[in-house]
Amino acid sequence: MTTNFARLDRLPPYVFSAVNDLKMEMRRKGNDIIDLGMGNPDLATPEHIVDKMVEAARKRKHNEHNHRYSASMGIKNLRKAIADWYGRRFDVDIDPNTEAIATIGVKEGMSHLVLVTIRPGDVVFTPNPTYPIHPFSSIIAGGDVRGIPVGPGENFFENLLHATKQSWPRPKLLIISYPHNPTTEIVDLDFFQQIVDYAKEHNIMIIHDFAYADLTFDGYVAPSFLQAKGAKDVGVEFFSMSKSYSMPGWRVGFCVGNKETIDALKRIKSYLDYGIFQPLQIASIVALNGPQDCVHEITDIYRERRDALIDGLNRVGWDVPSPKGTMFVWAKIPEKYKDMGSVEFSKLMVKDAGVAVSPGRGFGEYGDDFVRFALIENRMRINQAVRGIKNIL
């Protein structure tokens, strides 16, 4: 039997595993390691959403449909709730029948959309550094990924134009995400208009990952890509219930925008899955249509944690800018340790500070001068982390 798994050949070793393995080794020895690494939201899902899911899951009589196979594109009322949410939030018209589809989280939806969009050898542009599924969905599909530098001191759009001139064959797809993980970069609507105009000029499809739409601070409000004039002509936008509503393990997301693209995703998903467990979809309708106080409360908690971490790091001599979006802090490695690279520095943080962070190298080679903090511990634990970090500074 062959053990040559072709799709795995182009996937590099998992960079984060070196830090994760060390973290677990230290914990087995009895050390208290504060984990600010993986961006796994720790806040409880709001009670009214959980209650609705439980109610729907208990409906098991023969004439109830909640435990049967669901629709791979999402039930009609969920797609209507998605369209209504976009109308209220962004004044964007979405046809729930042709321009919206539910996905099993953003990773599933994006992976399958890229798989159906590109052929082996097609050029795909993604930011670098960026969330790993952005480039690796394309690599798994056989694409040729080109990383566009993003982050402090970089002009992403100028870098994009330069890369376009240098690339042959011409790029077929651009994947972007703002507010951006891991760099926390933010943009305004004018930026998205530039992207739309660029896509039309170069005949490029756009996928925008809008996972951190609600996690914004200091008066900044994140625009939707679809607010740009003509955006639906060239692309789609993904949204995740994981962060705004603290539903990461529920695996509910959706994709909206260009109807031909949505139809393509619908067709491939019809071969690959039977949709999300229906009680989860029903609870998501309640989340989208119900009171949004919970979203504001979740955002306020992340803002308080951000302030605690930023104030603490600056106080102990690590000058880090305060992000206006996401649930992360992107910190340049202190000068005395910059030659170590992000993986070795992250190991040092675990061993000598008792704090686990994500090495920037795991998000792309242009991230190797940085580490990412995830705001997934309470303020007391964050203050404890700062005391540990002070020991190595």
Side-chain angles (χ1 to χ4, degrees):
M1 184 185 77
T2 180
T3 55
N4 180 21
F5 302 111
R7 296 266 177 214
L8 298 181
D9 288 346
R10 297 181 64 206
L11 297 180
Y14 190 58
V15 172
F16 302 113
S17 62
V19 178
N20 290 337
D21 291 348
L22 179 59
K23 174 186 70 179
M24 297 310 299
E25 178 186 337
M26 297 285 287
R27 282 180 169 172
R28 282 192 292 269
K29 292 178 180 178
N31 294 283
D32 179 21
I33 305 299
I34 301 168
D35 192 352
L36 301 178
M38 182 179 177
N40 190 359
D42 64 312
L43 303 176
T45 304
E47 190 172 354
H48 69 288
I49 301 174
V50 176
D51 288 345
K52 189 62 180 181
M53 185 275 292
V54 172
E55 175 193 320
R58 288 189 180 279
K59 293 184 176 180
R60 295 176 295 175
K61 295 180 181 178
H62 70 278
N63 61 336
E64 298 288 353
H65 299 282
N66 289 346
H67 286 250
R68 304 179 70 181
Y69 291 132
S70 188
S72 62
M73 71 178 300
I75 59 177
K76 182 177 180 179
N77 284 344
L78 175 56
R79 287 182 280 113
K80 184 179 185 306
I82 291 165
D84 291 345
W85 184 84
Y86 257 88
R88 290 192 305 272
R89 284 290 307 276
F90 305 111
D91 195 25
V92 170
D93 250 350
I94 298 294
D95 183 333
N97 297 314
T98 62
E99 296 178 339
I101 185 170
T103 60
I104 308 172
V106 170
K107 288 180 75 172
E108 175 272 320
M110 184 176 295
S111 298
H112 285 149
L113 178 56
V114 172
L115 185 63
V116 80
T117 299
I118 68 170
R119 294 182 174 89
D122 281 346
V123 173
V124 177
F125 283 169
T126 71
N128 187 329
T130 198
Y131 186 50
I133 198 61
H134 296 162
F136 290 125
S137 61
S138 303
I139 289 172
I140 291 168
D144 179 7
V145 176
R146 314 278 173 89
I148 313 298
V150 66
E154 297 287 354
N155 185 319
F156 178 78
F157 191 74
E158 290 298 321
N159 293 341
L160 176 63
L161 295 179
H162 179 73
T164 305
K165 292 175 183 176
Q166 300 297 319
S167 291
W168 188 261
R170 292 301 187 197
K172 183 166 186 180
L173 173 65
L174 168 64
I175 301 174
I176 53 176
S177 178
Y178 291 98
H180 184 247
N181 172 19
T183 68
T184 74
E185 293 282 300
I186 58 173
V187 296
D188 57 19
L189 188 54
D190 287 343
F191 172 84
F192 284 141
Q193 193 61 61
Q194 284 183 302
I195 291 292
V196 170
D197 296 342
Y198 158 86
K200 289 187 174 185
E201 179 182 352
H202 296 281
N203 194 28
I204 295 173
M205 175 183 163
I206 307 297
I207 297 176
H208 180 233
D209 181 354
F210 204 21
Y212 301 96
D214 294 298
L215 299 192
T216 58
F217 318 111
D218 305 335
Y220 172 70
V221 178
S224 163
F225 166 72
L226 296 180
Q227 288 177 285
K229 185 179 179 181
K232 283 199 288 187
D233 297 335
V234 296
V236 294
E237 184 164 80
F238 280 92
F239 178 80
S240 167
M241 305 293 287
S242 297
K243 284 78 180 181
S244 299
Y245 299 94
S246 204
M247 297 166 60
W250 298 53
R251 308 314 302 134
V252 182
F254 53 81
C255 181
V256 293
N258 180 269
K259 63 177 60 179
E260 288 81 13
T261 305
I262 297 298
D263 185 63
L265 181 54
K266 172 187 172 183
R267 288 182 62 191
I268 195 169
K269 279 175 63 64
S270 70
Y271 285 94
L272 298 171
D273 70 70
Y274 283 111
I276 306 161
F277 183 44
Q278 200 147 292
L280 302 182
Q281 297 189 58
I282 293 168
S284 298
I285 295 169
V286 168
L288 293 169
N289 287 343
Q292 301 299 294
D293 300 2
C294 58
V295 178
H296 303 312
E297 290 166 5
I298 289 167
T299 300
D300 285 344
I301 291 171
Y302 284 121
R303 178 183 49 77
E304 291 169 2
R305 293 177 177 183
R306 175 205 66 169
D307 292 346
L309 180 60
I310 293 295
D311 292 347
L313 292 177
N314 289 335
R315 188 172 60 249
V316 300
W318 192 348
D319 185 19
V320 178
S322 184
K324 290 191 175 183
T326 77
M327 53 183 284
F328 305 111
V329 167
W330 186 239
K332 193 164 190 177
I333 297 172
E335 188 70 20
K336 65 187 287 189
Y337 295 115
K338 71 175 185 177
D339 293 336
M340 294 181 72
S342 60
V343 175
E344 292 305 314
F345 178 70
S346 296
K347 291 181 183 179
L348 177 71
M349 288 273 283
V350 173
K351 289 187 290 187
D352 292 359
V355 179
V357 295
S358 294
R361 183 67 179 80
F363 303 98
E365 63 270 27
Y366 295 135
D368 203 25
D369 290 337
F370 295 81
V371 293
R372 191 196 72 178
F373 292 85
L375 303 172
I376 53 171
E377 290 275 10
N378 62 45
R379 291 180 65 182
M380 185 180 300
R381 293 283 281 172
I382 287 174
N383 290 333
Q384 182 182 341
V386 169
R387 290 193 293 272
I389 291 169
K390 182 180 180 182
N391 293 335
I392 67 171
L393 295 181

